[in-house]
Every structure is written in C-alpha cells, then in structure tokens.
Amino acid sequence: MMIKVVLLAALAVMLVSAVRSRSPRHLAVRRMAAALLAVGGALAVLFPDAVTSVAHVVGVGRGTDLVLYLFIVASTFMWLGVNRRLLELDSRLARLVRSQALAEASRATEDAPVGTLR
Amino acid sequence: MGAVRSVATASPVTPAAQPADVAVVVPMHNEGSVVGLVVSDLRRVFDLVVCVDDGSTDDSADVARRAGAQVVQHAVNLGQGAALQTGFAHVLARTGADYVVTFDADGQHAVDDAARMVATARAGAYDVVLGSRFLLPDAEVPRGRRVLLRAATAVTRRTTGLRLTDTHNGLRVFTRRAAEGLDLRLGGMAHASELLTHVARHGLRYCEVPVVVTYTDYSRSKGQSSLNAVNIMFELAMHRMYAQS
C-alpha cells in the first residue's frame, strides 16, 4: 500500500531533520510544508469527497483515516521542533545564568580579595 | 609533599596543609543542612573552596559562605553539570589554581581522598584523576546503587573506551589545562559521561584512585533513583543527536 511508504518516508524525514542542524534551507522547507498543509486543509474543507478519493489512491480506506495519519505525522514534526527549541533555550539560559553568577561573584571577590575570605 | 597529607587531616589543628594552588568546586542544591560541615572540613586542608549554589531555595549559600567558601550563585536551577561548569569558569577566571577538585556537597566524600588524589595528579603527571568507590575491596555500596552504577559504567566504558571502574563518582581532580578544555552542556547526571567523553576525545592522561563513599540516609535520599539510569541514557542519546548543531 502506498500510504505505508508515504508515512514511513515522513518518519524517516523527521528523524533526519531532528538530527541535522537548523539552516535557512531547513526553515524554507518547513515553511513550504506549512503552506502546503494550509492549502491542503482548505481544499479538504471545500471538497471533502476529494479527500476520500486521494485516500483511495494511496491505499487508505477512508478520507478521515488519511487525515488522522497526516495529523499524527504533522504533530510529531511539531513536537520535535519544539523539543529542539527547548534544548536550545536551555543552553542559552545556562549561559545567561552562568555569566550573571560569575559577574556577581567577581564583584563580591573584588570587595574581599581571595585569601582574606574567612 | 603528597605524603604529608593524611597526617595533616588526622590532626585538625594543623591549618591548610595543601598549597594554595588547589581549588575545590562544590556544586550544591538545597544542601544547607550538611554543606557547612563539608566546607569547614575541606577548609582544614584546602585554602580555596568554591561552592556553586545551583538555585537553592534554602540557606545553602549563606551556610557555605559562613563556613569559609566563595559562593557563586545560579539565579535558577540548571543542574549539576551546569553548576560544575560555572565552578570551573570561576576558578579559571578568578584564581590561579593549577588543580581543580570537584567534591559533592552531601558529605559522601572524604577530604583525605581529595588530598591524596591531588598528590597523585602532581606526582604522576595526570591531567585527570578520578575517584572510584569500587577499587576498595570491602567497599560498602548499597545493592540497588551498585547495580545502577555498574550499568552506567559498562555503557560509559563502551562509548568512551576508557578503562574505568566507577564513572559516576563526584570526586575528581583536573589540572588547570584539562579544566580549560571542558564545556559541560548536559544538565542532569549525564554530565559525568559527557566529562569522560571529553577525556577520551582529547586523549587526556587519566587514572583512578580508590576512594571511600559514605552512604548516609541523607546522601541516599538526595542520590540517584534506579530509574535515573534511564534518564542518563536518554540525555546522552539526545546529546549525541544534537552534538553537531
């Protein structure tokens, strides 16, 4: 069935994009995917029967099932993106907190130089 | 000068037997009830003790300061790896220390061991000296803890190729040069493996020294649950995935 190939390919792309670094090209791909999703969504709303025909073409019984599968794939992409973003944010936070902590500590040790601390 | 150490700690009257070229970094998070004792114990032997307060909500920072430590305070909790990295950065920027010791705040390490490890680093020209609780024949390690540590050690040995017996021991000695190269990014306990990955990748000269780890009810309650092994593995895997970015 074609849908299996499509879904497995999507999963593979997800894994690869999770590992690879964020680049402008990467961003462009994401934006195109989002645009495609919006247009596809609008078409699906306007022509619900078309979804079922497309589902039949890729080997899925009902249009609803196809929508569900694509939804799962899309939300997993989003989860990966958010997770990645959180990791980046974490490391930025660590750098920020560290530099603040070090600045504060150096102010404290200037008041009382090393060796005189008791 | 290494041989004098155990004598010095045996008689607490003798002040600061270690030369001033050693800095001890103690990461702490809500350890107010024990860290005072840990710091004053350390201060009998080491001149310079730097406590990194990792966003504690108790009085850890004040207690450590009163006991004679320099305190560097994270505004929010970042995890032990980040605290260690801050400690290294502080020592490198603000002191001329040639050796950096890392020492847990919960009182599970012995100051004698730290002093002995510094002596080993000095004498053997090692970049990194690591403490191991499993090198002592009659080491008393709780069973659950032993299983967890064995597993973590096996994995770390595989991934780093280092021949070690205890990869998650908080007592370590780094030369200034070795500390300068460190860039710990993993927040949780995975920093232990991250650290060893660094040692392996840069071909640092390392050795293990037997150390005592005292398990009190306190340190046990603060320590790793067995499920944390899963977290360590996961964080390491994520680190691998995002290492290139």
Side-chain angles (χ1 to χ4, degrees):
Chain A
M1 270 194 301
M2 210 173 139
I3 184 65
K4 288 186 177 165
V5 179
V6 172
L7 292 177
L8 285 177
L11 285 170
V13 170
M14 240 182 281
L15 260 182
V16 171
S17 75
V19 176
R20 290 185 53 183
S21 70
R22 177 188 298 271
S23 65
R25 225 185 49 166
H26 187 85
L27 187 66
V29 170
R30 289 183 80 88
R31 284 177 176 160
M32 283 193 315
L36 210 70
L37 206 73
V39 172
L43 287 176
V45 170
L46 293 174
F47 312 104
D49 294 344
V51 179
T52 306
S53 326
V54 173
H56 286 178
V57 170
V58 294
V60 177
R62 296 185 309 162
T64 325
D65 292 341
L66 179 65
V67 172
L68 176 66
Y69 296 156
L70 292 180
F71 172 72
I72 291 169
V73 169
S75 54
T76 312
F77 262 115
M78 278 181 56
W79 180 80
L80 278 172
V82 168
N83 198 45
R84 185 198 178 82
R85 204 75 193 93
L86 276 179
L87 285 177
E88 282 175 10
L89 215 59
D90 266 358
S91 83
R92 280 190 210 176
L93 179 70
R95 269 179 284 151
L96 174 66
V97 169
R98 180 169 301 130
S99 68
Q100 189 261 347
L102 292 175
E104 195 126 305
S106 81
R107 211 175 312 135
T109 47
E110 262 152 33
D111 295 346
V114 181
T116 66
L117 284 178
R118 280 294 151 212
Chain B
M1 52 183 84
V4 191
R5 210 74 59 232
S6 48
V7 181
T9 39
S11 53
V13 193
T14 321
Q18 280 277 342
D21 64 345
V22 182
V24 183
V25 171
V26 181
M28 60 183 189
H29 181 234
N30 294 340
E31 316 268 9
S33 59
V34 285
V35 77
L37 207 64
V38 171
V39 170
S40 50
D41 266 2
L42 278 166
R43 291 268 294 153
R44 281 198 204 112
V45 181
F46 299 101
D47 231 19
L48 182 59
V49 177
V50 175
C51 286
V52 182
D53 180 36
D54 193 18
S56 293
T57 48
D58 68 353
D59 57 348
S60 294
D62 287 337
V63 170
R65 221 172 263 131
R66 255 181 278 132
Q70 288 186 22
V71 176
V72 185
Q73 270 182 295
H74 283 173
V76 296
N77 180 251
L78 295 176
Q80 202 179 24
L84 283 175
Q85 185 62 41
T86 299
F88 287 129
H90 178 80
V91 167
L92 294 173
R94 307 291 307 175
T95 78
D98 292 322
Y99 297 91
V100 190
V101 179
T102 67
F103 200 93
D104 286 352
D106 61 5
Q108 64 169 308
H109 298 314
V111 176
D112 290 21
D113 286 337
R116 216 154 33 80
M117 285 166 65
V118 173
T120 304
R122 258 186 236 283
Y126 294 107
D127 301 306
V128 183
V129 178
L130 303 158
S132 171
R133 75 203 87 183
F134 295 116
L135 286 178
L136 292 175
D138 51 350
E140 277 178 35
V141 181
R143 198 137 148 271
R145 191 63 47 92
R146 185 181 285 266
V147 171
L148 166 68
L149 287 164
R150 288 284 190 216
T153 299
V155 170
T156 311
R157 280 177 74 140
R158 271 194 91 100
T159 53
T160 63
L162 300 180
R163 299 184 54 79
L164 297 172
T165 58
D166 186 2
T167 51
H168 285 67
N169 195 305
L171 185 49
R172 312 176 182 91
V173 177
F174 298 84
T175 59
R176 187 179 186 90
R177 194 177 72 86
E180 275 167 351
L182 279 173
D183 179 21
L184 301 177
R185 296 195 193 179
L186 299 186
M189 280 308 290
H191 70 268
S193 321
E194 192 184 15
L195 223 151
L196 296 173
T197 306
H198 177 85
V199 171
R201 195 171 293 161
H202 294 265
L204 299 182
R205 294 160 301 172
Y206 68 95
C207 73
E208 264 187 339
V209 167
V211 300
V212 182
V213 169
T214 313
Y215 288 94
T216 59
D217 287 342
Y218 178 81
S219 73
R220 232 176 291 215
S221 71
K222 296 280 287 194
Q224 307 291 301
S225 96
S226 301
L227 269 177
N228 239 327
V230 178
N231 292 335
I232 294 173
M233 303 299 156
F234 186 79
E235 281 165 32
L236 262 182
M238 292 306 277
H239 178 61
R240 287 274 144 76
M241 275 178 89
Y242 292 110
Q244 304 101 307
S245 62

